[in-house]
Amino acid sequence: MSTPHVVVVMGVAGTGKTTIGPLLASRLGVPYAEGDDFHPEANIAKMTAGTPLTDEDRWPWLEAIGAWAHGRAGLGGVVSSSALKRAYRDRIRSAAPDVVFVHLTGDRALIEDRMAHRKGHFMPTALLDSQFATLQPLQADETGVAVDVTGSPDEITDRAVTALHGLTA
């Protein structure tokens, strides 16, 4: 990308945000921040118990991600966040108006299979239905790209880099 943007890698649980985010950051030569690290302990406890978060639970988390993105403005960075609803992306943009979203998308069966095989993550597959029910894909007036998650992490990252270059071309 010609200028250092802050990229928010978004999507439902299991799309690979935590895998693709660091790969994308490395390819762009910018730091990566794991969105889950911005969650308060109460949020992690709820999700671990299989309880979906409410919007009220998410606001402080989204504001923390927005603050990180704001601090990286002009320097670039990549941060992961489900950012499933337009209102959530708006909350991030309220602090960091120039963020660019990379929406990782894919078939529900593929995502569920990936979730079932990952180790050490607090998000159970039981919450996948609520994630898909909540998802509002990027709209035409939102700066970002959708990237399919089929294939290897390197293939997905290649598609993301190509799509991001297309935004700035």
Side-chain angles (χ1 to χ4, degrees):
M1 293 169 27
S2 58
T3 58
H5 287 80
V6 176
V7 177
V8 178
V9 179
M10 64 168 281
V12 299
T15 53
K17 296 180 296 290
T18 299
T19 300
I20 303 307
L23 290 172
L24 183 59
S26 177
R27 290 278 297 276
L28 298 175
V30 297
Y32 171 73
E34 172 55 51
D36 288 340
D37 293 343
F38 294 92
H39 273 297
E41 285 298 319
N43 286 8
I44 292 173
K46 281 182 92 168
M47 289 184 287
T48 301
T51 304
L53 298 179
T54 66
D55 287 353
E56 291 72 29
D57 294 327
R58 286 186 180 92
W59 298 141
W61 172 63
L62 294 164
E63 288 164 1
I65 290 170
W68 183 87
H70 175 77
R72 297 297 310 164
L75 303 170
V78 175
V79 61
S80 59
S81 170
S82 53
L84 298 177
K85 287 184 182 179
R86 169 71 185 247
Y88 304 164
R89 297 187 296 272
D90 288 345
R91 185 65 64 117
I92 294 169
R93 276 192 296 264
S94 70
D98 295 326
V99 296
V100 175
F101 290 89
V102 170
H103 180 189
L104 299 179
T105 64
D107 177 71
R108 189 197 182 288
L110 170 67
I111 294 166
E112 183 174 25
D113 181 64
R114 287 184 179 172
M115 282 183 77
H117 290 95
R118 67 185 182 178
K119 305 287 185 242
H121 196 277
F122 58 80
M123 179 71 84
T125 57
L127 290 182
L128 191 55
D129 286 335
S130 73
Q131 293 257 305
F132 272 104
T134 301
L135 177 63
Q136 296 172 344
L138 288 173
Q139 297 173 18
D141 65 332
E142 295 183 272
T143 304
V145 295
V147 176
D148 183 73
V149 296
T150 55
S152 72
D154 285 332
E155 291 168 333
I156 298 164
T157 303
D158 287 344
R159 283 195 293 275
V161 169
T162 299
L164 287 169
H165 281 303
L167 277 180
T168 60

